[in-house]
Amino acid sequence: MNANLPAKSDVVIVGGGVIGLSIGWQLLRRGVEVTLIDKGEAGKAASWLAAGMLAPNAEVGFEEMDFLKFGEKSLALYPQFLDELRDDSGIDVPLDPCGTLMIALDRDDSEFLKRLHDFRKSLKLPSEWISGTKARDLEPMLSPKVVSGLWLPNDAQIDNRLLVAALRQAFVNKGGTLIEHCDAHSVDVSAHTLRTKHGAIQFSRLVLAMGCWSRRIDGIPDEHLPPVRPVKGQILTLQMSKDLALSKVIRSPRVYLAPKHDGRLVVGATSEERGFDESITAGGVMDLLQEGYEAVPAIYEMTLQEVRVGLRPASRDNEPILGQSPHTHVFYATGHYRHGILLTPVTAYEMTNCILDGVFSDEAKPFTASRFFYHEPFTP
Ligand code: GLY
C-alpha cells in the first residue's frame, strides 16, 4: 500500500511484521489513530519466513519458566485473537492443534529426550514418552530408525503467511495507514517527530517493532536502544503430495518439519550468528535436507519449492523486550527471537494495554524493556 505519509498520527509504529501489525490492529480496535511504516513490504521478513509453530511445550528450555507461562498464555489467547481477526479481515486463519512429536534417532537423542520429558513431567506439562513403534503409529512416514519419542499433544501450529495476510487486511480495514518501502531514519524524542525517507511525521506515541533491525534508528542514544541482534535461519519449503503427507509437526534435536494445510512442508532451520548476512549456503541446505531425510526418508521424493533466509531478532537474554523505553512516549516490542508467531496475540494485547492504560499482566512483567535500562523513565 502506498498511502502518503500523514503529517501526524496519534500512534506511529515502525516495523510491519506480525508484531507491529497486530499491535497496530489492536490499537485501531480501541479507537486509536495508527500509522505503520515498514522499510519493505509489511510482513515479508521474519514473519514470512517463520515455520508457524505454536509450541510453548516443545520450545521451553530448562529454567525458562517465564517464557513457558507467557507462551502458554499466548497460545490460549489464539482462538479469541483469530475470531477477532476473521471479523476484521474476512480471512479465516485456522489453528491446527496437531501437537508436536519429538523424535530420537539414536541413544544420544533418546537420553536427551528423556531429560526433556522428565523436566516436563516435573512441571506437570502433558508429555508422553513413547516407543519408536508408537511414534510411527502416530506418524507413519517416520524413519524406521526412530527409537523413541516424546508426544506433546497441546502444541499447535498456524499458517504464518495467511496470518500475515489477515493482519495486514485487518489493519487496513480498521482504518490504519500503512506506509511501505519507507525507511525510518531518526527520532527526535523531544519534538515527538520521526524522520523517514518520505518526510517527517509527528506522533503522540511511537512503537518500535523493528525486529532484528531495532537498533537501526538514529536519535535514540545507543544505551537506550534494545539489545537485539540477528540470528540467521535458513529454511526450506518442500511440496507434499496426497500419498506423501505428514500430519504432525516433527522435531528431532537438529531439525523440524512443519506440514501446512496447503501441502507445504517447512523444514528448518539453521541457527547462525552471522550478523545481517542473508546468504544461502550449500552447507546449510545440505544439513537441513540430511537431517530432514534422517527423520522422514520420504522427503527424498518431494519437490524443493523454496530456500530462504530469515533473521530472528534475539535479545541479550533471548527473551522479548516489551513496553516503555527510557523515553516515556517511545515503546519497544521486539526481541521475540524464535517465538514471534507464538507470542503475537499476547504481545498485541499486552502492548495495547501498556500503551493505552499503562498496565502489563504478571506474565508480561518479566519481559519489560526496563530490565535493560537501569534508571527511571524520564519525560524529556
Ligand atoms: N521457531 C523456529 C525457529 O526459529 O527456527
Side-chain angles (χ1 to χ4, degrees):
M1 185 176 170
N2 275 320
N4 289 329
L5 187 73
K8 60 184 173 56
S9 183
D10 188 359
V11 173
V12 172
I13 300 177
V14 185
V18 286
I19 298 299
L21 278 171
S22 61
I23 295 168
W25 164 56
Q26 285 295 322
L27 287 168
L28 289 161
R29 283 180 74 89
R30 300 265 307 260
V32 178
E33 177 195 35
V34 182
T35 298
L36 191 151
I37 295 166
D38 193 277
K39 64 181 177 44
E41 206 178 320
K44 287 294 173 70
S47 305
W48 195 253
L49 297 162
M53 294 177 295
L54 311 177
N57 199 341
E59 297 200 340
V60 60
F62 296 107
E63 314 309 332
E64 288 183 343
M65 291 308 98
D66 292 332
F67 161 72
L68 178 65
K69 284 189 207 139
F70 205 47
E72 284 183 326
K73 179 168 183 168
S74 201
L75 183 54
L77 286 168
Y78 245 110
Q80 171 195 335
F81 184 80
L82 293 178
D83 281 350
E84 293 172 2
L85 193 56
R86 188 180 47 245
D87 289 347
D88 290 350
S89 69
I91 299 173
D92 186 30
V93 185
L95 188 70
D96 178 3
C98 61
T100 302
L101 181 51
M102 302 183 91
I103 55 164
L105 284 151
D106 57 24
R107 172 81 189 267
D108 278 355
D109 286 357
S110 219
E111 292 295 328
F112 176 61
L113 287 200
K114 191 77 180 52
R115 286 178 59 228
L116 296 183
H117 176 62
D118 291 344
F119 176 61
R120 280 154 182 75
K121 290 320 284 178
S122 74
L123 298 173
K124 302 202 177 347
L125 292 173
S127 169
E128 190 185 344
W129 177 256
I130 58 177
S131 65
T133 306
K134 176 80 192 290
R136 276 181 292 278
D137 286 346
L138 286 174
E139 189 54 88
M141 287 198 348
L142 285 181
S143 164
K145 290 187 194 159
V146 171
V147 288
S148 59
L150 210 54
W151 171 230
L152 308 173
N154 282 16
D155 286 345
Q157 66 160 337
I158 202 166
D159 180 340
N160 46 295
R161 295 186 178 182
L162 196 57
L163 180 68
V164 165
L167 285 171
R168 195 178 190 282
Q169 195 61 53
F171 179 84
V172 174
N173 288 355
K174 293 301 283 182
T177 304
L178 181 58
I179 313 283
E180 298 181 298
H181 305 288
C182 177
D183 284 312
H185 296 316
S186 65
V187 191
D188 183 333
V189 284
S190 335
H192 289 219
T193 302
L194 178 76
R195 296 207 171 77
T196 80
K197 181 176 158 190
H198 296 323
I201 179 167
Q202 285 212 300
F203 54 81
S204 302
R205 282 151 295 188
L206 177 69
V207 181
L208 299 178
M210 299 155 69
C212 71
W213 296 275
S214 292
R215 298 182 63 78
R216 289 202 171 170
I217 189 140
D218 291 335
I220 296 180
D222 266 4
E223 65 275 19
H224 292 174
L225 285 170
V228 174
R229 68 185 194 286
V231 176
K232 174 180 173 182
Q234 302 189 52
I235 191 159
L236 318 176
T237 306
L238 306 177
Q239 183 62 46
M240 300 186 292
S241 63
K242 215 153 60 72
D243 301 331
L244 296 178
L246 293 172
S247 63
K248 300 185 168 41
V249 172
I250 306 296
R251 298 175 83 116
S252 86
R254 294 161 295 280
V255 73
Y256 54 75
L257 301 99
K260 299 298 169 188
H261 62 94
D262 59 2
R264 286 178 299 128
L265 179 64
V266 179
V267 182
T270 65
S271 199
E272 305 168 59
E273 298 275 358
R274 299 181 66 89
F276 288 91
D277 168 31
E278 292 183 77
S279 57
I280 292 166
T281 63
V285 174
M286 186 172 73
D287 285 349
L288 292 173
L289 287 175
Q290 182 66 40
E291 295 298 344
Y293 175 75
E294 291 291 324
V296 178
I299 70 163
Y300 196 84
E301 303 293 333
M302 294 178 188
T303 312
L304 177 56
Q305 265 190 345
E306 191 180 277
V307 184
R308 301 280 292 269
V309 172
L311 298 177
R312 305 175 183 91
S315 71
R316 198 182 293 151
D317 59 10
N318 291 335
E319 307 282 15
I321 300 174
L322 305 177
Q324 202 175 47
S325 79
H327 306 269
T328 46
H329 47 275
V330 179
F331 296 80
Y332 295 141
T334 184
H336 289 75
Y337 191 31
R338 309 181 71 94
H339 314 296
I341 305 296
L342 169 64
L343 297 178
T344 292
V346 77
T347 300
Y349 293 127
E350 294 282 354
M351 286 297 297
T352 301
N353 293 339
C354 170
I355 293 163
L356 299 185
D357 310 321
V359 294
F360 259 150
S361 72
D362 285 346
E363 291 91 347
K365 281 178 186 155
F367 307 113
T368 51
S370 58
R371 73 188 186 279
F372 293 114
F373 310 117
Y374 303 109
H375 49 76
E376 293 300 309
F378 66 93
T379 309

Coordinates of all heavy atoms in Angstrom, one line a residue, residues 49-53 59 231 233-235 251 256 268-271 312 336-341, ligand 1:
L49 N 9.0 -15.8 7.0 CA 10.0 -16.9 6.9 C 9.9 -17.9 8.1 O 10.7 -18.8 8.2 CB 11.4 -16.4 6.7 CG 11.5 -15.6 5.4 CD1 12.6 -14.7 5.3 CD2 11.5 -16.6 4.3
A50 N 9.0 -17.6 9.1 CA 8.9 -18.4 10.2 C 8.2 -19.8 9.8 O 7.7 -19.9 8.7 CB 8.0 -17.7 11.3
A51 N 8.2 -20.7 10.7 CA 7.6 -22.0 10.4 C 6.2 -22.1 11.0 O 5.4 -23.0 10.7 CB 8.4 -23.1 11.0
G52 N 5.8 -21.1 11.8 CA 4.4 -21.0 12.3 C 4.1 -22.0 13.4 O 2.9 -22.3 13.7
M53 N 5.1 -22.5 14.1 CA 4.9 -23.5 15.2 C 4.4 -22.7 16.4 O 5.0 -21.7 16.8 CB 6.1 -24.3 15.5 CG 6.5 -25.2 14.3 SD 8.0 -26.1 14.6 CE 9.2 -24.8 14.7
E59 N 9.2 -25.9 23.0 CA 10.3 -25.0 22.9 C 10.8 -24.5 24.2 O 11.8 -23.8 24.3 CB 9.9 -23.8 22.0 CG 9.6 -24.3 20.5 CD 9.7 -23.2 19.5 OE1 9.5 -22.0 19.8 OE2 9.8 -23.6 18.3
V231 N 19.8 -13.5 14.4 CA 20.3 -14.8 14.4 C 19.7 -15.5 13.1 O 18.5 -15.7 13.0 CB 19.8 -15.6 15.6 CG1 20.3 -17.1 15.5 CG2 20.5 -15.0 16.9
G233 N 18.5 -17.8 10.1 CA 17.9 -19.2 10.0 C 17.7 -19.4 8.5 O 16.9 -18.7 7.9
Q234 N 18.3 -20.5 8.0 CA 18.0 -20.9 6.6 C 16.9 -21.9 6.8 O 16.8 -22.8 7.7 CB 19.2 -21.6 6.0 CG 20.4 -20.6 5.9 CD 21.6 -21.2 5.1 OE1 21.4 -21.6 3.9 NE2 22.8 -21.1 5.6
I235 N 15.9 -21.9 5.8 CA 14.7 -22.7 6.0 C 14.2 -23.1 4.6 O 14.3 -22.3 3.6 CB 13.6 -21.8 6.8 CG1 12.4 -22.7 7.2 CG2 13.2 -20.6 6.0 CD1 11.6 -22.1 8.4
R251 N 9.9 -33.0 15.3 CA 11.2 -32.3 15.7 C 12.2 -33.4 16.1 O 11.9 -34.1 17.0 CB 11.0 -31.3 16.9 CG 10.0 -30.2 16.6 CD 9.8 -29.4 17.8 NE 10.8 -28.4 18.0 CZ 10.7 -27.1 18.0 NH1 9.5 -26.6 17.8 NH2 11.7 -26.3 18.1
Y256 N 13.3 -29.4 12.3 CA 11.9 -29.6 12.5 C 11.2 -29.7 11.1 O 11.8 -29.1 10.1 CB 11.2 -28.5 13.4 CG 11.5 -27.1 13.0 CD1 10.9 -26.5 11.9 CD2 12.4 -26.3 13.7 CE1 11.1 -25.2 11.5 CE2 12.7 -25.0 13.3 CZ 12.0 -24.5 12.3 OH 12.3 -23.2 11.9
G268 N 13.1 -26.7 8.9 CA 14.0 -25.7 9.4 C 14.7 -26.1 10.6 O 14.5 -27.2 11.1
A269 N 15.4 -25.3 11.1 CA 16.1 -24.2 10.5 C 17.5 -24.1 11.1 O 17.7 -24.6 12.2 CB 15.3 -22.9 10.8
T270 N 18.4 -23.5 10.3 CA 19.7 -23.3 10.9 C 19.7 -22.2 11.9 O 18.7 -21.4 11.9 CB 20.8 -23.0 9.8 OG1 20.4 -21.7 9.2 CG2 20.8 -24.0 8.7
S271 N 20.7 -22.2 12.7 CA 20.7 -21.1 13.7 C 22.2 -20.6 13.7 O 23.1 -21.3 14.2 CB 20.4 -21.7 15.1 OG 20.0 -20.7 16.0
R312 N 16.2 -13.9 12.8 CA 15.5 -13.8 14.1 C 16.0 -12.7 14.9 O 17.2 -12.5 15.1 CB 15.6 -15.1 14.9 CG 15.3 -16.4 14.1 CD 15.7 -17.6 15.0 NE 15.5 -18.9 14.4 CZ 16.4 -19.5 13.7 NH1 17.6 -19.0 13.5 NH2 16.2 -20.7 13.3
H336 N 11.7 -11.1 19.9 CA 10.9 -12.3 20.0 C 11.6 -13.6 19.6 O 11.1 -14.7 19.7 CB 9.5 -12.1 19.3 CG 8.6 -11.2 19.9 ND1 8.8 -9.8 19.8 CD2 7.5 -11.4 20.7 CE1 7.8 -9.2 20.5 NE2 7.0 -10.1 21.0
Y337 N 12.8 -13.4 19.0 CA 13.7 -14.5 18.7 C 13.0 -15.6 18.0 O 12.5 -15.4 16.9 CB 14.3 -15.0 20.0 CG 15.5 -15.9 19.8 CD1 16.3 -15.8 18.7 CD2 15.8 -16.9 20.8 CE1 17.4 -16.7 18.6 CE2 16.9 -17.7 20.7 CZ 17.7 -17.6 19.5 OH 18.7 -18.5 19.4
R338 N 12.9 -16.8 18.6 CA 12.3 -18.0 17.8 C 10.8 -18.1 18.0 O 10.2 -19.0 17.5 CB 12.9 -19.3 18.4 CG 14.4 -19.3 18.5 CD 14.9 -20.7 19.0 NE 14.7 -21.7 18.0 CZ 15.6 -22.1 17.1 NH1 16.8 -21.5 17.1 NH2 15.3 -23.0 16.3
H339 N 10.2 -17.1 18.7 CA 8.8 -17.3 19.1 C 7.8 -16.2 18.7 O 6.8 -16.0 19.3 CB 8.8 -17.4 20.7 CG 9.8 -18.3 21.2 ND1 9.9 -19.6 20.9 CD2 10.9 -18.0 22.0 CE1 10.9 -20.2 21.5 NE2 11.6 -19.2 22.1
G340 N 8.2 -15.5 17.6 CA 7.3 -14.3 17.2 C 5.9 -14.7 16.9 O 5.0 -14.0 17.3
I341 N 5.7 -15.8 16.2 CA 4.4 -16.1 15.8 C 3.6 -16.6 17.0 O 2.5 -16.2 17.2 CB 4.4 -17.2 14.7 CG1 5.2 -16.8 13.5 CG2 3.0 -17.6 14.2 CD1 4.8 -15.6 12.7
Ligands
GLY1 N1 10.8 -21.2 16.0 C1 11.6 -21.8 14.9 C2 12.8 -21.2 14.5 O1 13.1 -20.1 15.0 O2 13.5 -21.7 13.7

